């Protein structure tokens, strides 16, 4: 009877369903969505029960904010976003729909790494153990371009 056209944070938003046997309302999150090849619409959705206070595995999307405030980005450095989402364990009743990554102080020499994102997580949320060996992998980087080198050299010449 209902049609879902668009959903923000579909994988982490809570859904409420009635249990078929006990008629109890339970809270679930989306685990997987399968789309049809021909018409590109969902035909199968897999849910996972969400119990507050217990570890619940969520895939939280990452979203870069304030990247235009970085002086290196303004100077035409190439902005690259490597990780679209991270798996986290969540114990909270309320959790963010996405993790905003502040890119205002981003430079080509100092990318934002998974270990930095771990420090941005709210209380009660922890990175999955699959990232233990990946703490120094970049999430967001700025690449050096020819325009960026030209502008940087121009600023160095002006300061001399």
């Amino acid at each position: 009877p209902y049609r879902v056209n668009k959903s923000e944070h579909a994988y982490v938003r809570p859904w409420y369903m009635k249990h078929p046997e006990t008629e109890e309302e339970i809270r679930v999150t989306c685990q997987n969505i399968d789309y049809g090849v021909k018409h590109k619409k969902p035909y199968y959705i897999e849910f996972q029960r969400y119990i507050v206070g217990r570890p619940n595995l969520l895939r939280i999307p990452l979203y870069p904010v304030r990247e235009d405030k970085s002086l290196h980005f303004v100077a035409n450095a190439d902005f690259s976003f490597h990780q679209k989402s991270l798996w986290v364990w969540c114990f909270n009743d309320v959790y963010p729909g996405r993790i905003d990554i502040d890119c205002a102080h981003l430079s080509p020499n100092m990318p934002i790494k998974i270990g930095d994102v771990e420090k941005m997580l709210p209380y009660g949320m922890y990175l999955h153990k699959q990232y233990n060996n990946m703490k120094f992998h970049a999430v967001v980087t700025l690449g050096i371009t020819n325009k960026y080198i030209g502008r940087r050299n121009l600023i160095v010449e002006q300061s001399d």
Side-chain angles (χ1 to χ4, degrees), residues 10 16 32 48 55-56 64 72 79 82 89 93 100 117 119 142:
Y16 296 92
N32 186 25
Q48 163 186 312
N56 299 290
H72 300 279
F79 183 79
H82 301 290
W89 291 107
D93 184 25
D100 292 335
V117 175
K119 296 173 188 169
L142 282 179

Side-chain angles (χ1 to χ4, degrees), residues 61-120:
L62 303 176
Y63 189 74
V65 294
R66 297 179 36 176
E67 65 270 6
D68 57 335
K69 301 293 183 200
S70 170
L71 296 176
H72 300 279
F73 180 76
V74 173
N76 287 3
D78 185 33
F79 183 79
S80 299
F81 196 61
H82 301 290
Q83 290 280 110
K84 300 290 185 201
S85 61
L86 290 176
W87 289 97
V88 297
W89 291 107
C90 183
F91 292 83
N92 301 341
D93 184 25
V94 179
Y95 50 86
R98 68 182 189 197
I99 299 171
D100 292 335
I101 298 178
D102 186 12
C103 299
H105 303 292
L106 189 62
S107 71
N109 299 333
M110 295 294 292
I112 297 176
K113 301 176 180 76
I114 291 178
D116 300 331
V117 175
E118 183 178 27
K119 296 173 188 169
M120 296 177 195

Side-chain angles (χ1 to χ4, degrees), residues 119-137:
K119 296 173 188 169
M120 296 177 195
L121 292 175
Y123 177 78
M125 293 181 75
Y126 306 98
L127 276 179
H128 191 269
K129 68 179 182 177
Q130 73 184 17
Y131 301 110
N132 285 348
N133 298 330
M134 300 169 50
K135 300 275 179 154
F136 298 106
H137 289 212

Side-chain angles (χ1 to χ4, degrees), residues 136-155:
F136 298 106
H137 289 212
V139 174
V140 177
T141 58
L142 282 179
I144 297 175
T145 62
N146 290 337
K147 282 186 175 182
Y148 174 76
I149 291 172
R151 285 193 174 187
R152 185 181 63 190
N153 292 340
L154 182 66
I155 291 171

